Amino acid sequence: MDFTKKFVKAKRPCADGFRWFIRHYEDGGDYQELLDALVADGRVNDACWLLDQFGPTDGLRVVDAVDADALVFAGTLEVRGNIDTAGLVRAGRSIHAEGGIRAGGSLIAGEDLRVGGSVRVEGDVDVGGDIRVGWGIEVFGGLRGRGDLRAGWDVQISGPFDLAGNGFVGLDLNVGGVMRCGKGLHVHGTIEAEDDVRAHHGIVAGHEIRTANHIEAGWGIKAGGAIVAGGAVRAGESLEAQEEIQAGDGYGVFAGLAVPVEAWDASARVVARARPRGLMSGWWDGRELR
């Protein structure tokens, strides 16, 4: 895609950015060449603005490794080794790295993110498709994904976690903000959050589920340890924990919210070490786990 002065001006760029374009590309230039030049000149925000205005391309860049201050590519980026940047990493389409990713800014992919090793991001992560990470994920901002997420090790997110699809985590999941999952959440270790934990489908944890606020699932909730909330515990179907099920002071425990009362004994069972305090709905058969 070739850019001309008239073509760029029609998008109403800022005055400073347009002056830069005139100084460097008075006769126009190639889209990706312009993005690279902006990043090289420290104008990463202008490069992102340009990508926002003109969108992704079908271009493919294949490299052995990335070691840079920042990177903005309009197409798909494939890296045989690691990606290491002091600032932003952004691709209009997918980012594939056989090694790991370490970014001092945000990490943004218009489509999928696939990483063989670990991901460590100082800013936010925003992915338009699926996220596949062989090892762990550490994000000091928030994480937003519009597809599924699968990570082999721990996932630690300092901010909110907003996932449109299913989440699969090989070890522990720790979130500093609200945790929302558009489908199901399956964590082999412990789930911990500083705010709500919500899943449109079910929630399964191999160990504990602990949150400072509410826990809610449209289907069932199951934990290999305790289920402890600072607010309410709400499940559309069954609730099962090998240890205690505990809501916060003044809050209740609800099972079977999406199940007819006559079906509670089969589809809204409440199983725990002892009857939960504040159990408001669901089928408790009186038996306690030993």
Side-chain angles (χ1 to χ4, degrees), residues 103-118:
S106 293
L107 173 63
I108 303 170
E111 295 179 356
D112 295 340
L113 174 67
R114 300 181 185 276
V115 182
S118 293

Side-chain angles (χ1 to χ4, degrees), residues 91-113:
R93 296 201 183 277
S94 297
I95 298 175
H96 300 166
E98 294 181 20
I101 296 179
R102 185 172 64 178
S106 293
L107 173 63
I108 303 170
E111 295 179 356
D112 295 340
L113 174 67

Side-chain angles (χ1 to χ4, degrees), residues 2-34:
D2 290 325
F3 279 58
T4 64
K5 180 169 64 174
K6 183 177 180 181
F7 190 45
V8 173
K9 188 175 182 180
K11 291 294 184 178
R12 297 181 178 272
C14 68
D16 183 55
F18 191 61
R19 283 195 297 268
W20 182 94
F21 178 78
I22 295 301
R23 285 197 307 269
H24 294 82
Y25 289 90
E26 184 175 2
D27 297 327
D30 174 75
Y31 185 19
Q32 187 57 53
E33 178 186 329
L34 179 55

Side-chain angles (χ1 to χ4, degrees), residues 19-203:
R19 283 195 297 268
W20 182 94
F21 178 78
I22 295 301
R23 285 197 307 269
H24 294 82
Y25 289 90
E26 184 175 2
D27 297 327
D30 174 75
Y31 185 19
Q32 187 57 53
E33 178 186 329
L34 179 55
L35 290 174
D36 291 340
L38 285 165
V39 172
D41 207 21
R43 305 184 71 94
V44 177
N45 289 338
D46 287 344
C48 289
W49 176 87
L50 198 68
L51 183 54
D52 289 338
Q53 298 302 311
F54 296 100
T57 68
D58 293 329
L60 174 64
R61 177 177 289 180
V62 181
V63 296
D64 289 331
V66 172
D67 187 354
D69 290 333
L71 175 65
V72 179
F73 185 69
T76 294
L77 177 66
E78 293 188 1
V79 183
R80 299 186 184 96
N82 298 321
I83 298 175
D84 192 343
T85 66
L88 172 83
V89 177
R90 180 174 178 182
R93 296 201 183 277
S94 297
I95 298 175
H96 300 166
E98 294 181 20
I101 296 179
R102 185 172 64 178
S106 293
L107 173 63
I108 303 170
E111 295 179 356
D112 295 340
L113 174 67
R114 300 181 185 276
V115 182
S118 293
V119 173
R120 187 178 191 273
V121 178
E122 299 288 341
D124 296 324
V125 173
D126 193 335
V127 178
D130 293 337
I131 300 171
R132 297 283 189 273
V133 177
W135 297 358
I137 300 174
E138 185 176 14
V139 180
F140 289 87
L143 186 150
R144 182 184 182 190
R146 296 170 185 83
D148 294 339
L149 178 144
R150 184 179 294 273
W153 296 359
D154 292 330
V155 174
Q156 298 183 35
I157 303 165
S158 298
F161 176 35
D162 191 354
L163 185 67
N166 294 297
F168 303 92
V169 177
L171 295 176
D172 295 337
L173 172 60
N174 190 300
V175 177
V178 174
M179 186 188 307
R180 297 189 183 92
C181 189
K183 293 185 179 178
L185 181 61
H186 192 147
V187 176
H188 285 276
T190 294
I191 298 173
E192 290 188 281
E194 296 298 323
D195 209 316
D196 293 348
V197 174
R198 300 181 185 273
H200 190 67
H201 293 173
I203 300 174

